[in-house]
Amino acid sequence: MPTIYFGMGFTERRLPLPSEPFLDEHSFDGLSFLAFLEGYYGFLPETERQEFLRIEKFRQLLRDDHERNPNAFYRASFLADPLATAEHVLGMRDELIAAGYPLHQQSSPDCPERISCLHRLENQLLLSEAKPDNGSVWTLGAADRLRRLLAALEAGKHPALWVRVHEPFQLLDPGSKRLLKALHNCGDFVQYMPSPPPPTTQSILGRWQAETLHAWNRDREAGEFPQAAAARPHHSFIERWVDEGQVLPKSWTFEDYPNVDISRYRDSKLPTDDSLIIIKSFRETHIAAFLARLLQVHPDWKPALLMAKKRQTFDLAMRMEGLPSMGVPSTSLARPSLQVLKLIPTFLWEPVNLRKLHEFLKLTVKPLDRRLGYRLASAMSDNPGLFSESWFTASRQFFEEELPRLVAKDKRISAETIEDQYNFWFRRARYPIDGRAPKSEVRKLFVFVVNWVQSRTEEDKDDVLGLQTLSAQAKRAVELIDQMDETELNSLQVDRIVRTVYEAAPAKFQEEQQNSLPAAFHPAAVCGEVPELIWWDFVQEEPDYFFSSWLSNELDYLGENGIELLSPEAKNQRQIWSRTRPLLFTRERMVLCFPQQIAGNEVSAHPLYGELEAIFGEQLDDMTIDLDADVEPAFLDWSSPSFSELGLRPLASPKPFVKIAGPERIRQREQESPTSLERFIYHPHQWVFPYGLLIKASRQPELRLGTRLRGLLAHRFMERIFAEDKPLEDWTKAELNQWIARKEPDILSREGGMLLEYGYEPDRVQFRRQVQRAAWALICSLRDNGWASVQSEIDLEGQIGDLVIKSRADLLAQAEDGSQAILDLKWRGKTRYRNLLRNREEIQLSLYAQLLEQASNGPVFSGYFLLSEAQALARTSHIFSDAELVDPDADPRQVRSEILEKLQHTYAWRKQQMTDGLLEIRCNQTLAELEDAYRDMDYEQMLEMKEANAPFDDYRALIGLVD
């Protein structure tokens, strides 16, 4: 006779493990038991989750019903989110069917409105399925399958079963009650599994068990727990069950222990033993390491393990100690391969969600070459948008330079496939996000993912399980789209499709090994006596409360018709019953693991921990091992491992100079830019590492927002304005504002798409007004001061002493008398640039002016223009009469000459240091030593050095600046 262990926690394993491996012994929860019985009656097994098709079919049913009954109870939520509403209403329908309610019949006149609506929907569903030309077939859910099985059980085709039920009958869901009753009527032996025996010793663990049982008896006597009543459904079935000698607890809900004398536990002195051990620590990794070493030191200790949430931490610690793995499976929605599914709808809509697009490009597993994705993600970091100049530069470099080298090196790489992937994702039609996209275009996205998974090469075999799950979910999405009868879908529908088919991918990194600890993954999976038990992660993992989907008048109506649903009170009672199974079945020792943080997140103590505090109070400290306190527990009879404190080894402080071995191997640059030259002068390590030694900073591409993005976009607007073939005097303020508003979508979509997203409209409007104000102020100043023509982004190249300089200036203005002005556009930083002018440190402007003067005959002036303040900063009013003047008494040409002369002296000095193999490290920590080293230098001929650390320094770790 097959033996069936039936319980809500018997999804994978139960404790204790069977003493012998019986071939005809099975552990099932509700769904797995249903599938087991269906096999005997010729019903096809459910090999793949099809719930999403049921939801879509029911959504169409609700849509048609709503058109005929616009005041249906689900109206408001259906208009907001049809699929979510269909899922909830379908759940209500299934709950009634599982409880045995005849929804297929016509509703009675006194039937409540919502139940009457479900009657109407069920009959519409039956009529739809009866039509021969109906293209779709209703997929049976668990409730439909139960109804079908109950009808088939009368044939009695299954072998005689011995069903051992773990849960109290009153706490089972209505469907399980109906199934057990039907099996009993078929002659199967249905038995309630034995209750935990009362505590037998006056240990600390026995005291806790006795207090828990005493509280239950007290609450039951006070009427806290419902008792069986004669009028309740299936009462005669219960009586017949008891009369035939099958085991049922007296209360049908909680055990009754009349022999437990609580006074003998309370009146006696608290024993000192190790029957209850609480291990505390700040992190769960510390507890895992402690327990794993404890098990390794004491090989004869073989406790059972309860792990309510499947996490790899303890199993990994066991394997690191050389102990056999328990084969703990891992289930996570954060697996890289699964992220693709929720990100691909981004490519349908406009404006593009740049955060999701950037996340897609950074994925290690995606239907796009990873090297190309990284290049594009890096391009988006500086210019967050699609098809900016940096985007096209990155793609061109990859396809024209890098890809041919990759193909030549590895014949498995297909250039055509990579180009097809790029074209599919980025050269496609996009639709307004508040509009609709053709269903065929949505379908293509998921079909592409399915085909991509099928064509994966062996280089990605490490995540085969994740890819298979991704392919299965993408196929479900295709099936769901095919089931939908709409021709166009909006963004909410597409997102809901993904959420409907999206589920975690299970993975087992190590199979269960011989002699590993017996483990279970649900508190209710402890269904028999275990000598010792480790309760891993003794923290709050379960919901605190439940809400009923049914109104009181609906419950009254169902009760009058013999239908009893599982109430929120019963669900809470079942939860309380479940969490106490490990406690009551443990006989000798229980170890509770209580971390304050799990995976970096704060956690709350398990609800039973409050009972411990109430029972033992301050004595609880005497049975607690605090790993962070590093105190040897006095109540343990066997040695326990301890943590050894590793001394901190601080990094060496920055040294003022680093000796370069082989300075001749430092690469020399043929030309410098103002930016690289300033690095070489002020913080030479920022020049030597990237240019001389080719040590490039490696960082994860991140979208750069804020001031830098606004400055870049403002530059682009100014560049476009002055690229227009239109004289300055022809611009009017209204025309300029209209032009900026007209060009805004194109510029922002290419380089500042964040401002086009939902919720950024206030920022976008503010930014547009700032640009309009700055552009009009700049045009007026140029026009009023006699500058006849303006050019933007001017390439400048020339030589100053031994320095070959190549750069690009923002704006070049020319007057009819031949004079010229260089303007460096800055978004903000008035104080900083004012100080540069005041201290005569404007190296960039001086280089611009000198290079331009070498190529022309007229005088050249220079200055800054702050866009956010629509204000110019300069030494002289020759540029703008309304500019803010800094150090106006100085001769600009003389100041420029002094700056460039000092620049050349300083540059030659730095070059000599490099030749001598000496690299200066300038930062706050080395400042005093550097001043001592340069005590005899002639500072008059040199640029004044900076005292602060280098801004945006990627090489802080290399120079010892990381604490």
Side-chain angles (χ1 to χ4, degrees), residues 518-569:
F521 304 113
H522 193 286
V526 183
C527 60
E529 295 184 54
V530 292
E532 298 181 85
L533 180 71
I534 296 175
W535 194 330
W536 179 253
D537 284 354
F538 187 65
V539 297
Q540 174 73 21
E541 301 275 17
E542 53 198 18
D544 295 328
Y545 45 78
F546 303 92
F547 291 102
S548 175
S549 299
W550 304 98
L551 304 175
S552 57
N553 65 319
E554 295 168 344
L555 293 174
D556 293 340
Y557 173 81
L558 293 172
E560 292 171 0
N561 287 271
I563 302 298
E564 184 181 20
L565 302 180
L566 192 64
S567 66
E569 293 80 10

Side-chain angles (χ1 to χ4, degrees), residues 784-803:
D784 296 345
N785 287 272
W787 300 107
S789 62
V790 180
Q791 302 177 58
S792 62
E793 299 298 318
I794 304 301
D795 290 326
L796 299 174
E797 187 171 358
Q799 189 165 348
I800 300 175
D802 296 334
L803 284 168

Side-chain angles (χ1 to χ4, degrees), residues 342-343 346 353-361 495:
K342 67 178 185 179
L343 294 176
T346 302
N353 187 318
L354 292 182
R355 289 183 180 86
K356 290 186 176 181
L357 175 59
H358 201 247
E359 185 180 347
F360 174 85
L361 293 173
D495 287 342

Side-chain angles (χ1 to χ4, degrees), residues 60 133 289 298 510 572 673 730 820:
Q60 298 176 20
D133 58 343
H298 301 278
Q510 175 68 57
N572 276 304
S673 67
D730 290 350
Q820 301 179 88

Side-chain angles (χ1 to χ4, degrees), residues 33-34 37 41 98 145-161 163 165 169 172-190 234 237-238 240-241 246:
F33 190 29
L34 180 62
L37 291 172
Y41 291 88
R145 291 165 55 198
L146 175 63
R147 181 169 58 183
R148 181 183 63 179
L149 177 65
L150 291 176
L153 280 178
E154 298 176 359
K157 294 182 180 180
H158 65 277
L161 301 176
V163 183
V165 186
F169 185 81
L172 292 172
D173 61 271
S176 297
K177 291 179 180 179
R178 294 177 65 208
L179 179 58
L180 293 176
K181 178 181 178 180
L183 291 174
H184 175 78
N185 292 335
C186 289
D188 294 302
F189 188 62
V190 182
H234 313 315
F237 165 53
I238 298 294
R240 187 166 64 253
W241 201 355
Q246 303 191 41

Side-chain angles (χ1 to χ4, degrees), residues 358 361 372-398 422 703-704 708-709 712 716 749-752 808:
H358 201 247
L361 293 173
L372 174 59
Y374 184 84
R375 279 183 174 267
L376 297 178
S378 299
M380 281 187 64
S381 297
D382 292 320
N383 304 92
L386 277 178
F387 311 129
S388 63
E389 289 184 8
S390 58
W391 176 285
F392 285 121
T393 300
S395 59
R396 183 173 60 253
Q397 289 176 346
F398 177 80
Y422 177 84
L703 294 177
R704 295 186 176 95
R708 185 170 181 178
L709 175 61
L712 182 146
R716 195 67 67 223
S749 65
R750 291 176 182 271
E751 302 186 65
R808 176 175 290 185

